[in-house]
């Protein structure tokens, strides 16, 4: 193997410097900034692969981190109140894959089912529905982003005799609004829908929503059949990943033994990342529930501060109750690019996560004050 040329070395140095600078201006996307997984660098020397079922204990391929992956699943199953001895899951490459897995499982359990999701759902839902060829009803959202329960009921009544597959958002992508699975189940009961499946897309909020007051209704004890949480969002990971938890008795109905793998094929992809389970495990061991709770409180305080500061500029900014996302009228392209803000229609948003500092917010507020879109 030859060494990198000086030009190649320069190229990667420049890229690293660019990322370092951009990291200090990353306000619009929901990823945590302050993590250090350098103790895990040593694993980059092995061709590891988590193909197969992490809970299948035999198998002839041993270059995996399944034992660590199982601990990650146990942690999240416990956090999300999955029934003891009746949960299963794996580390996905993100919440889009987790949504696909849940819809795939629901399709196999309830062929002919209709998927209900709100117009504020993440774009992966509609794409995954298309991939799986499912029937669906898109439900209206309320202005603050939560599903419109009245419209949900009307849509359910159109297909009362078919199984219902419901996607609840525990933090919509743009407004961080949370759907409530209690009224959703009340409506299903009232409409006499016997067969249904509830998947909670908790990509951003799933890791901390249990610590909010009031606690959103979305966990297994409250009626969820599956939940996805992103690993690279609030928890923090340099490699995108997610944790999907489902009910074991459901998943067992779709597992297949594959000879060449000498394991069960019950994940979406064959080869799977073996480093991301280690990263999430490391976060659990070093930050843990207490740390997540603490980080949440700090973020909530900074979110309240940010909203007030923007309001003081005479700009109408708002956030949903207990949300870390602040929404305000759309800023100029220059400001959007400088601070990597996300925009949707007439609005921009920024999201407070671990690693966002008061200094960053103050610096952004100064820029916002001078932003051409807001000049009188
Ligand atoms: C609500 C929601 N679901 C799913 C996703 C997709 O997650 P990922 O990027 O991990 O695939 C996102 C991403 O922002 C999201 O906000």
């Amino acid at each position: 193997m030859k060494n990198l040329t000086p030009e190649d070395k320069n190229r990667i140095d420049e890229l690293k410097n660019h990322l370092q600078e951009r990291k200090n201006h990353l306000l619009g996307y929901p990823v945590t900034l302050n993590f250090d997984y350098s103790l895990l660098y040593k694993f980059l020397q092995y061709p590891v692969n988590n193909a197969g079922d992490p809970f299948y204990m035999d198998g002839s391929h041993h270059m995996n981190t399944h034992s660590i992956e199982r601990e990650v699943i146990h942690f999240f199953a416990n956090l999300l109140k999955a029934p003891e001895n009746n949960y299963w899951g794996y580390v996905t490459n993100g919440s889009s894959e987790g949504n696909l897995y849940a819809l795939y499982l629901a399709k196999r359990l309830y062929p002919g089912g209709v998927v209900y999701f709100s117009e504020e759902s993440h774009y992966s839902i509609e794409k995954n529905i298309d991939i799986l060829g499912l029937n669906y009803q898109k439900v209206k959202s309320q202005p603050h982003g939560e599903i419109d329960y009245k419209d949900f009921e009307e849509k359910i009544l159109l297909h009362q005799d078919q199984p219902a597959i419901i996607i609840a958002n525990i933090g919509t992508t743009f407004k961080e609004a949370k759907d409530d699975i209690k009224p959703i189940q009340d409506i299903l009961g009232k409409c006499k829908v016997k067969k249904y499946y509830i998947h909670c897309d908790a990509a951003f909020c799933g890791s901390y929503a249990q610590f909010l007051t009031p606690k959103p209704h979305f966990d297994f004890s409250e009626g969820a059949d599956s939940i996805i949480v992103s690993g690279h969002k609030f928890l923090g990971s340099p490699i995108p990943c997610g944790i999907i938890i489902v009910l074991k008795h459901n998943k067992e109905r779709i597992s297949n033994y594959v000879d060449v793998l000498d394991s069960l094929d019950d994940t979406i992809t064959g080869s799977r990342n073996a480093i991301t389970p280690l990263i999430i495990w490391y976060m659990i061991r070093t930050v843990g529930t207490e740390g997540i709770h603490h980080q949440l409180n700090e973020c909530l305080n900074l979110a309240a501060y940010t909203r007030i500061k923007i309001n003081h500029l005479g700009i109408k900014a708002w956030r949903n109750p207990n949300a870390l996302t602040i929404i305000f009228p759309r800023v100029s392209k220059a400001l959007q690019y400088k601070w990597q803000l996300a925009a949707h229609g007439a609005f921009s948003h920024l999201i407070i996560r671990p690693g966002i500092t008061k200094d960053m917010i103050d610096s952004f507020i100064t820029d916002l004050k001078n932003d051409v879109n807001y000049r009188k």
Side-chain angles (χ1 to χ4, degrees):
M1 204 161 87
K2 51 181 195 169
N3 290 330
L4 282 184
T5 62
E7 292 75 30
D8 287 340
K9 276 191 188 150
N10 270 345
R11 211 168 146 213
I12 55 173
D13 285 347
E14 275 170 20
L15 180 57
K16 186 194 172 278
N17 293 340
H18 167 74
L19 294 176
Q20 183 61 44
E21 186 281 324
R22 291 287 69 209
K23 180 184 153 184
N24 296 331
H25 294 86
L26 180 53
L27 287 186
Y29 295 89
V31 291
T32 281
L33 301 176
N34 59 348
F35 48 75
D36 175 8
Y37 297 113
S38 44
L39 219 89
L40 300 177
Y41 292 171
K42 50 179 160 270
F43 286 96
L44 292 182
Q45 61 188 307
Y46 301 110
V48 280
N49 190 326
N50 274 15
D53 183 337
F55 288 85
Y56 191 79
M57 301 304 246
D58 301 329
S60 50
H61 178 261
H62 302 149
M63 294 295 285
N64 61 46
T65 61
H66 281 168
S67 61
I68 290 284
E69 188 173 9
R70 288 194 291 276
E71 284 186 35
V72 169
I73 299 307
H74 293 320
F75 175 86
F76 283 94
N78 187 38
L79 180 71
L80 301 170
K81 301 209 171 89
E84 226 178 306
N85 306 320
N86 187 22
Y87 61 81
W88 180 89
Y90 72 97
V91 177
T92 65
N93 70 25
S95 288
S96 302
E97 182 186 335
N99 288 335
L100 178 60
Y101 187 80
L103 284 167
Y104 170 62
L105 183 57
K107 174 185 173 169
R108 295 287 299 272
L109 295 171
Y110 298 121
V114 178
V115 186
Y116 301 83
F117 63 99
S118 84
E119 42 190 33
E120 295 272 342
S121 296
H122 186 254
Y123 61 85
S124 63
I125 299 296
E126 212 159 333
K127 184 168 56 185
N128 290 331
I129 285 172
D130 187 35
I131 291 170
L132 295 166
L134 296 167
N135 291 324
Y136 68 91
Q137 282 289 342
K138 200 190 271 195
V139 180
K140 283 185 197 149
S141 298
Q142 302 177 53
H144 68 284
E146 185 173 352
I147 194 167
D148 180 329
Y149 300 98
K150 197 164 165 296
D151 192 51
F152 173 65
E153 182 170 341
E154 280 166 20
K155 298 272 161 62
I156 283 281
L157 286 172
L158 297 175
H159 305 274
Q160 228 172 340
D161 302 330
Q162 287 162 271
I165 301 166
I166 296 105
I167 308 292
N169 295 304
I170 312 308
T172 57
T173 305
F174 198 74
K175 297 175 183 161
E176 205 187 317
K178 298 174 189 87
D179 300 338
D180 188 333
I181 67 170
K182 277 239 158 93
I184 285 176
Q185 288 169 95
D186 292 346
I187 291 164
L188 291 166
K190 188 171 144 199
C191 298
K192 303 201 168 25
V193 177
K194 296 264 169 337
K195 292 182 179 166
Y196 61 84
Y197 184 100
I198 300 179
H199 170 63
C200 293
D201 178 355
F204 181 57
C205 307
S207 58
Y208 65 75
Q210 297 290 45
F211 309 122
L212 292 172
T213 315
K215 191 193 94 60
H217 301 129
F218 79 105
D219 70 28
F220 286 92
S221 71
E222 291 155 332
D225 293 292
S226 54
I227 304 178
I228 178 71
V229 179
S230 282
H232 57 290
K233 294 199 166 84
F234 192 84
L235 299 168
S237 166
I239 308 172
C241 58
I243 302 101
I244 178 79
I245 309 285
V246 305
L247 294 174
K248 191 166 152 219
H249 70 254
N250 284 339
K251 167 265 172 196
E252 274 168 354
R253 288 172 55 185
I254 68 162
S255 301
N256 286 321
Y257 175 79
V258 176
D259 208 9
V260 70
L261 204 60
D262 190 13
S263 179
L264 299 177
D265 171 30
D266 38 23
T267 54
I268 294 286
T269 62
S271 287
R272 292 194 301 110
N273 198 318
I275 302 296
T276 46
L278 271 168
I279 288 170
I280 300 303
W281 177 87
Y282 190 92
M283 186 286 308
I284 292 169
R285 307 300 294 176
T286 54
V287 179
T289 22
E290 243 176 67
I292 294 172
H293 198 158
H294 175 72
Q295 287 177 336
L296 168 66
N297 288 338
E298 296 210 320
C299 288
L300 285 169
N301 288 339
L302 191 55
Y305 170 85
T306 306
R307 197 199 107 166
I308 290 168
K309 288 293 265 192
I310 300 178
N311 286 159
H312 281 169
L313 297 179
I315 296 167
K316 206 167 164 276
W318 64 279
R319 55 192 270 258
N320 269 306
N322 276 331
L324 303 180
T325 303
I326 294 116
I327 300 151
F328 41 91
R330 192 167 180 138
V331 297
S332 69
K333 267 262 181 291
L335 196 67
Q336 181 180 342
Y337 284 13
K338 176 171 180 185
W339 287 99
Q340 300 173 79
L341 301 175
H344 183 54
F347 299 99
S348 297
H349 81 187
L350 67 79
I351 306 180
I352 305 295
R353 309 91 57 190
I356 301 294
T357 61
K358 188 166 164 293
D359 282 353
M360 283 165 86
I361 294 298
D362 288 342
S363 170
F364 166 72
I365 299 283
T366 305
D367 284 349
L368 184 61
K369 194 172 167 189
N370 298 322
D371 191 45
V372 72
N373 271 10
Y374 289 120
R375 275 198 209 136
K376 300 267 152 49

